[in-house]
Amino acid sequence: MTAELEAKVRLQLQQDYRDCKRGKHCRAMKDSWRAESGIFRLDSVEAPPRAIHQSNVSRFCNKATVFYWAPSAQRYGGCPGIIFGAIYKAWFRYYNDKPGKLALDYDYFFANLVKVTTNGPKTIPGIVKAHRSLSDQVVSLLSRMRQECKTGTCPIRDDKLLPHHQLQLLSRAIVVIYDNFIEPYVVREPRVRIFLDEVVQQQNVLLVLTGDDHELSAPISFDSIKCESLPTAQEASDGTETGDSYDMIRVPLNVAIQFILDLQQRESVAKSCPWTESTIAEPTNDGPSSDAVDRDAAEYADSIIRSTAQGRGREDDSAKLAMGAMNFAAEMVAMRERGEEIPPALGVDMIEPLWE
């Protein structure tokens, strides 16, 4: 292999590493939104809602908000996966297709999904009340689990990840209520990619302030997005009849995502949470967090090239894996030089419609 070809293969190996890491995060988030067995449900109007299990507490951590999917927006009792695809792409694009190492390793994302069943709360005050209870549960459960880890009695396997999981203060202060699924016009054919930008613009959601914002760096105001608000009749279930009214606004889903992620960045910069010294995209002592992914990618490429050189003629698994990665990268380089089309990497142009 010439020095020029090795340099190209090295760059391809680095890109393969980044694509693999981002793909793993996407699959994990997709499973948390799509696996019916793992989705948390609000299935009673009674408070508090059913208890959060230790195995599911991480789903509520490192998320900017909670996405309450109302029955009126469900289809045959389910949550159409194309909405997750649209949200994930918007989140991915917010970080210029380069979410950092912390985001990818510790399941940072826009929101955790909570499915409201037909037996669950039917009013905004009811959802907000349940949300406050869930938030309190998460904080209490995390505290207990950390204490158990200190004594060696924590039952979860990933106890080393526990210090990196926190309930974001922002998620206590604002929630998303999705109550109107608008069927997007898409071509559903095998292996046909779906452009999701229009999907996220077509949908609309309610942003509701819970009033639990006393620990934020500043109050939340909807003034900056009032120009994007959608005309809507007085919400019949907004609590005005009982005196429990909440500040809310209905906006397109893409506006809601941008607004909440901007708030998250504001809170990260303000350091209102002691754990935000490790943020998703803001500079840290080690530079922008996406640089850590690039460093890991460079180390991965070096290790593959080194292992391939040292493992020639060997038949052990590590040598085979290194050679396989090397051959794949070399083939991608050759395809590019031949002018052949290479499938776009995750988050570059579009996300494959594997949500249904």
Side-chain angles (χ1 to χ4, degrees), residues 1 33-35 42 135 153 206 237 241 253 262 314 318 322:
M1 182 181 295
W33 276 63
R34 297 291 290 147
L42 281 183
S135 299
T153 59
L206 276 173
S237 57
E241 299 169 350
L253 179 55
D262 283 346
R314 286 166 39 193
S318 61

Side-chain angles (χ1 to χ4, degrees), residues 99-135:
K101 179 179 174 63
L102 291 163
L104 300 177
D105 285 348
Y106 303 121
D107 294 343
Y108 281 79
F109 190 46
F110 168 67
N112 178 48
L113 171 63
V114 171
K115 182 178 178 181
V116 184
T117 71
T118 54
N119 295 322
K122 297 176 176 58
T123 65
I124 290 173
I127 292 176
V128 171
K129 186 176 181 180
H131 177 75
R132 288 175 173 170
S133 178
L134 290 174
S135 299

Side-chain angles (χ1 to χ4, degrees), residues 12-253:
Q12 182 62 47
L13 284 168
Q14 293 176 15
Q15 187 59 50
D16 292 344
Y17 176 89
R18 286 188 287 265
D19 291 344
C20 180
K21 197 162 187 70
R22 293 163 188 168
K24 182 179 179 181
H25 178 272
C26 180
R27 289 190 295 273
M29 294 301 97
K30 175 189 169 186
D31 288 346
S32 71
W33 276 63
R34 297 291 290 147
E36 285 292 323
S37 60
I39 296 175
F40 190 87
R41 292 171 174 77
L42 281 183
D43 48 17
S44 173
V45 295
E46 301 296 328
R50 66 187 179 92
I52 300 173
H53 192 269
Q54 284 184 336
S55 61
N56 290 326
V57 69
S58 64
R59 294 173 181 265
F60 289 85
C61 297
N62 300 344
K63 310 299 188 294
T65 187
V66 176
F67 192 94
Y68 288 94
W69 200 312
S72 56
Q74 296 169 24
R75 288 297 176 267
Y76 308 106
C79 304
I82 196 170
I83 301 303
F84 165 77
I87 291 173
Y88 191 88
K89 180 176 181 181
W91 176 82
F92 204 83
R93 281 285 175 84
Y94 184 84
Y95 297 107
N96 298 317
D97 294 339
K98 290 186 176 182
K101 179 179 174 63
L102 291 163
L104 300 177
D105 285 348
Y106 303 121
D107 294 343
Y108 281 79
F109 190 46
F110 168 67
N112 178 48
L113 171 63
V114 171
K115 182 178 178 181
V116 184
T117 71
T118 54
N119 295 322
K122 297 176 176 58
T123 65
I124 290 173
I127 292 176
V128 171
K129 186 176 181 180
H131 177 75
R132 288 175 173 170
S133 178
L134 290 174
S135 299
D136 290 341
Q137 279 192 57
V138 172
V139 172
S140 176
L141 191 55
L142 285 173
S143 177
R144 190 175 80 232
M145 291 168 69
R146 289 193 177 94
Q147 188 59 39
E148 290 173 347
C149 285
K150 290 180 180 179
T151 60
T153 59
C154 184
I156 64 170
R157 290 177 295 177
D158 297 332
D159 58 328
K160 292 182 179 180
L161 300 180
L162 194 57
H164 300 280
H165 285 89
Q166 298 283 351
L167 180 72
Q168 292 200 25
L169 297 178
L170 181 61
S171 74
R172 301 190 68 123
I174 186 169
V175 298
V176 179
I177 299 177
Y178 182 49
D179 58 356
N180 180 32
F181 175 71
I182 300 174
E183 187 71 42
Y185 177 75
V186 294
V187 177
R188 297 182 180 276
E189 296 179 3
R191 313 311 299 174
V192 172
R193 294 177 180 273
I194 298 174
F195 288 89
L196 297 169
D197 293 333
E198 291 185 3
V199 176
V200 77
Q201 295 168 13
Q202 291 169 353
Q203 309 301 315
N204 64 79
V205 295
L206 276 173
L207 296 182
V208 182
L209 302 185
T210 67
D212 190 0
D213 62 354
H214 58 283
E215 294 190 68
L216 297 182
S217 63
I220 298 175
S221 170
F222 291 138
D223 289 347
S224 64
I225 57 172
K226 281 184 177 178
C227 60
E228 303 277 2
S229 64
L230 300 174
T232 181
Q234 175 71 36
E235 300 294 336
S237 57
D238 66 358
T240 53
E241 299 169 350
T242 63
D244 297 322
S245 59
Y246 295 91
D247 192 3
M248 67 184 71
I249 189 171
R250 185 178 292 278
V251 292
L253 179 55

